[in-house]
Amino acid sequence: MTVGMRITWTPVAHGWADCVVEDDRAKVELTASYISAAPEEFLTAVARLVAGETETRAQFEAEPTAYRWIFHRDGEDIWIRVLELPDGRGHDTAGTGIWSSRLDIGVLARTVIRCFDEVAWAHGESGYRGKWGADFPRTELEALRRLWRTHRHTQDTW
């Protein structure tokens, strides 16, 4: 199982962000457009995993390309696949796998929380809005943080 993971989310121009995802084996660079709620959808997908869902998805639209995140949970283990699709409406089989990893739910949750905490620190919420074109996903980030704290507390009491 992969030990570590790093994600960076960088608003680069109005309505566009770069996302770099890496672990100890591979690195991939994704692009996201604000035509969809990519950061909110991503944070919500991870929150669903922490809450106990066994499968969830998120998608970054890159006009016309799309990057689809597919998450599977088995106990505390998460398997992640990222597909690149020529069109975001396409079936998974139309996509090409560009990154995958298997890691602990704690590694994923902490990595995603850290990523968006770093974005808020680097840009501020108003700076983020100016670059991305939409509000910082504070509600989704805090929901994930609350779920993670609850999950950790529940695991500590076993």
Side-chain angles (χ1 to χ4, degrees):
M1 184 180 322
T2 301
V3 175
M5 177 183 192
R6 175 139 176 88
I7 301 173
T8 58
W9 177 268
T10 308
V12 293
H14 188 76
W16 292 96
D18 289 337
C19 180
V20 177
V21 183
E22 57 189 307
D23 63 12
D24 56 352
R25 295 178 304 125
K27 175 180 176 179
V28 67
E29 297 180 24
L30 315 174
T31 301
S33 165
Y34 74 151
I35 64 167
S36 69
E40 293 86 351
E41 193 175 318
F42 182 68
L43 286 160
T44 299
V46 175
R48 287 180 177 149
L49 291 168
V50 171
E53 284 192 27
T54 57
E55 183 176 336
T56 190
R57 295 162 178 256
Q59 187 159 300
F60 296 173
E61 296 293 337
E63 302 180 54
T65 302
Y67 299 98
R68 185 170 297 152
W69 296 76
I70 303 170
F71 301 92
H72 293 277
R73 180 176 177 171
D74 181 14
E76 294 296 294
D77 295 339
I78 305 296
W79 183 49
I80 306 168
R81 286 188 310 146
V82 179
L83 304 177
E84 181 176 4
L85 293 103
D87 182 325
R89 296 171 298 202
H91 189 274
D92 291 351
T93 57
T96 302
I98 59 170
W99 188 83
S100 67
S101 190
R102 186 174 179 100
L103 55 144
D104 180 82
I105 185 70
V107 172
L108 176 62
R110 287 188 307 270
T111 298
V112 172
I113 291 167
R114 185 178 310 116
C115 168
F116 283 93
D117 281 346
E118 288 173 0
V119 171
W121 182 84
H123 299 281
E125 293 194 23
S126 63
Y128 177 87
R129 180 167 178 58
K131 278 276 198 182
W132 177 245
D135 290 335
F136 182 80
R138 177 62 58 196
T139 301
E140 293 80 5
L141 176 59
E142 294 310 320
L144 172 57
R145 191 184 320 272
R146 279 189 307 277
L147 283 165
W148 174 239
R149 285 180 182 148
T150 300
H151 179 80
R152 274 192 350 216
H153 177 71
T154 302
Q155 295 302 308
D156 290 343
T157 60
W158 284 54

